[in-house]
Amino acid sequence: MTRKKIFLPIITGALMLMLTACGPSDEKLSEAESARSLLVEAKTNAEETYLDISDESLKSALDELSEKEAKIEALEFKKMNDKKIDEVLPTIKELTTQYQDLYGSLSDTLKSETEVKEEKEKHTAISVYFVNKTGLNLTEIVLHDLTTDAYSENYLGDGVILGNGYTLMGVSLDTYKDSSEWEFVVTDEADTDHVLTCDDLRTVSGDEQPVFFTYDAASGTGKASFTDDQQAEGTSQESTEAVQEASAEESTGD
């Protein structure tokens, strides 16, 4: 009886020691859980940022990390000992760093795309076509935004000539919504620039708005108008002549 009483506490203590050795220490378990939480946070940040961008070039890298991260999330730290946790901690920290680096790249892309989007929202595209009635053969047509002092590219392109009386179709004018004053600068074959005052582009509605280019060589002034002033003047002159002829006929009849 006495010997049994002596060995019983020893056996019980050994069993408790073995059970303790099967699981991690509280400190190591806390370290592992904290490391995994940081990994999950890094993954979430990267994936949520990816959803906000249109660039898909980093998708494969994100998928590759996701597969590795899923294995870490599946680990049961409570069933691991301290040594096993120490073996897996470097992998967790490495994945976390990779996700953080990827998040940085995705954030840069998001910033760039946001800036482009915000700038695009400041612009309006106006669909027009040019009718050259200047009496000149034009080698360049440039829109000058007087509000922002910005110049467009040459709408004709290199080596293209828009002859007098010809039309250039399919032109898209990129304008700032906040601008209020424009002019066209056209260049002729003698490499001379001519400024054409422009109608208010904010009044354009619908597609394929005609823009008539006219130029008065005597005064050195020109216009870019939405109405054909030359045709209107011709119609007005014809009307005046018709009235004069009618008056003359009435006088002759009298």
Side-chain angles (χ1 to χ4, degrees):
M1 293 292 293
T2 304
R3 291 177 63 183
K4 288 183 179 180
K5 289 182 179 179
I6 292 174
F7 283 109
L8 185 59
I10 295 175
I11 294 171
T12 303
L15 288 173
M16 292 180 64
L17 183 61
M18 290 175 62
L19 289 172
T20 303
C22 289
S25 64
D26 291 343
E27 181 181 357
K28 190 59 64 176
L29 178 61
S30 176
E31 182 182 357
E33 294 291 359
S34 296
R36 182 158 59 184
S37 294
L38 289 175
L39 172 60
V40 173
E41 180 183 355
K43 174 190 177 183
T44 300
N45 290 338
E47 291 182 341
E48 289 183 349
T49 304
Y50 176 76
L51 293 176
D52 291 332
I53 66 176
S54 59
D55 186 347
E56 298 181 354
S57 61
L58 294 176
K59 185 179 186 303
S60 59
L62 199 61
D63 290 342
E64 183 179 346
L65 287 180
S66 180
E67 291 180 7
K68 296 178 181 179
E69 190 274 342
K71 295 178 181 179
I72 299 299
E73 283 211 55
L75 293 176
E76 297 184 49
F77 292 136
K78 291 182 180 181
K79 295 182 179 181
M80 300 168 64
N81 56 35
D82 286 7
K83 181 180 179 181
K84 191 64 177 178
I85 288 178
D86 280 335
E87 291 175 356
V88 76
L89 277 175
T91 301
I92 298 176
K93 293 176 181 178
E94 181 182 357
L95 282 176
T96 301
T97 299
Q98 290 175 348
Y99 263 120
Q100 290 171 340
D101 291 343
L102 186 60
Y103 169 69
S105 298
L106 292 168
S107 296
D108 290 341
T109 300
L110 177 60
K111 180 181 177 182
S112 177
E113 288 188 355
T114 300
E115 290 174 350
V116 170
K117 180 180 178 182
E118 290 176 348
E119 181 64 24
K120 186 176 180 180
E121 290 174 348
K122 298 177 183 178
H123 293 248
T124 298
I126 302 175
S127 180
V128 302
Y129 61 91
F130 297 146
V131 183
N132 182 13
K133 291 193 171 187
T134 60
L136 306 168
N137 294 326
L138 305 180
T139 59
E140 290 188 20
I141 299 176
V142 174
L143 178 64
H144 179 202
D145 185 331
L146 294 170
T147 305
T148 62
D149 195 26
Y151 289 84
S152 72
E153 298 293 330
N154 175 19
Y155 288 106
L156 291 181
D158 294 338
V160 178
I161 297 177
L162 183 64
N164 181 52
Y166 283 82
T167 298
L168 178 66
M169 302 297 296
V171 179
S172 180
L173 302 180
D174 181 15
T175 62
Y176 275 96
K177 292 179 180 179
D178 294 337
S179 295
S180 59
E181 191 176 3
W182 301 264
E183 66 184 11
F184 280 94
V185 180
V186 299
T187 306
D188 61 25
E189 289 182 300
D191 203 26
T192 302
D193 292 339
H194 307 278
V195 175
L196 312 180
T197 59
C198 182
D199 286 349
D200 192 342
L201 294 175
R202 295 172 298 179
T203 63
V204 175
S205 59
D207 293 334
E208 298 300 320
Q209 169 71 52
V211 180
F212 297 94
F213 293 154
T214 57
Y215 181 73
D216 183 358
S219 62
T221 59
K223 292 180 62 178
S225 177
F226 303 143
T227 57
D228 189 350
D229 293 338
Q230 290 182 352
Q231 184 177 6
E233 290 175 2
T235 302
S236 176
Q237 184 176 354
E238 289 175 2
S239 299
T240 302
E241 291 175 352
V243 171
Q244 291 175 345
E245 289 177 1
S247 298
E249 290 177 356
E250 290 178 2
S251 299
T252 303
D254 291 338

